Amino acid sequence: PFSSARSYFTFDPRLSEFRFDELSVQSKWVSLRAEGQAKLQGMEKGWPSAILGQLEISNILANPQNLYDAPIALEKASADVKLQLDPFQLRLGELTLRDQGQVLVASGAFSAKEDGWDATILGRLATLDPDRLMALWPKALAGKTRKWIEENILKGTLNNIQVGMRALPAQRPEVYLGFDFADVDVRFMKT
């Protein structure tokens, strides 16, 4: 659910193309402002079969499912997406998130199935400060691993970060996090 949404756009019927001067939404989970374009595909029968979009997103505050004590602010993002209507599927060709001088590049797909969502997300990030990782990592997600990293990675830099998530209907999502590290002080045993 959202508390407000607003859109200012123009439509060119010859090109089947929307130009968005503003798309904005405010909800408990996310608030953002976007601009961009969307092209309707398959208009031969009078109704689109898919929508291709490119968006530039700013003013991002996110707190999905209240995972954080306070919403996380991100600088900006850009996205190339394809929304297929029948069957309903959202493909994320590329999502680029910019945060504190770092860039996360992600792709994925979300499909509506009879019994729930089928979702896959893959992402990569060149480098990240461990303090920012801990700020972005929800306490409820992989809690034991998060706690170990928080207590035992004393300093350092994370590099070549890969993240992934696979969720199938009625199943617990599988989450992957891999990274290299440099200049790290680690406590590998309590003593």
Side-chain angles (χ1 to χ4, degrees):
F2 57 89
S3 55
S4 72
R6 180 173 46 216
S7 177
Y8 296 100
F9 64 89
T10 57
F11 177 67
D12 184 337
R14 292 177 298 116
L15 301 173
S16 296
E17 186 174 271
F18 286 91
R19 289 249 178 229
F20 295 98
D21 294 318
E22 178 182 348
L23 284 170
S24 60
V25 65
Q26 290 189 351
S27 73
K28 289 182 181 179
W29 287 11
V30 68
S31 297
L32 57 83
R33 183 182 187 285
E35 56 187 51
Q37 61 188 20
K39 176 107 173 140
L40 304 178
Q41 290 188 320
M43 289 297 292
E44 298 80 23
K45 296 181 181 179
W47 187 255
S49 59
I51 303 168
L52 289 175
Q54 295 178 317
L55 297 171
E56 294 291 326
I57 307 161
S58 60
N59 303 335
I60 306 165
L61 290 174
N63 194 0
Q65 296 184 330
N66 293 316
L67 288 173
Y68 301 103
D69 296 333
I72 298 293
L74 301 171
E75 292 171 20
K76 63 182 178 175
S78 59
D80 295 326
V81 298
K82 180 177 183 178
L83 176 63
Q84 184 176 313
L85 301 176
D86 188 17
F88 188 85
Q89 184 178 61
L90 177 66
R91 287 205 175 274
L92 186 57
E94 184 172 280
L95 171 67
T96 303
L97 288 169
R98 298 184 188 285
D99 179 53
Q100 298 184 357
Q102 303 303 317
V103 180
L104 169 71
V105 179
S107 61
F110 306 84
S111 299
K113 304 293 183 186
E114 286 185 24
D115 53 346
W117 287 98
D118 180 339
T120 302
I121 301 172
L122 300 171
R124 64 189 185 282
L125 181 65
T127 185
L128 184 66
D129 179 89
D131 290 336
R132 186 60 176 160
L133 171 64
M134 298 317 291
L136 295 173
W137 188 342
K139 291 178 182 174
L141 182 63
K144 289 181 181 179
T145 302
R146 184 189 191 285
K147 183 178 179 188
W148 188 91
I149 290 172
E150 190 173 40
E151 292 175 353
N152 295 294
I153 305 290
L154 307 175
K155 74 170 194 161
T157 304
L158 303 175
N159 302 302
N160 189 27
I161 302 160
Q162 312 102 44
V163 295
M165 190 271 306
R166 176 78 172 127
L168 295 170
Q171 294 183 23
R172 186 181 179 128
E174 294 178 20
V175 178
Y176 168 81
L177 172 65
F179 56 88
D180 298 333
F181 48 88
D183 302 318
V184 176
D185 285 346
V186 178
R187 178 180 24 243
F188 64 94
M189 292 179 59
K190 286 185 180 183
T191 59

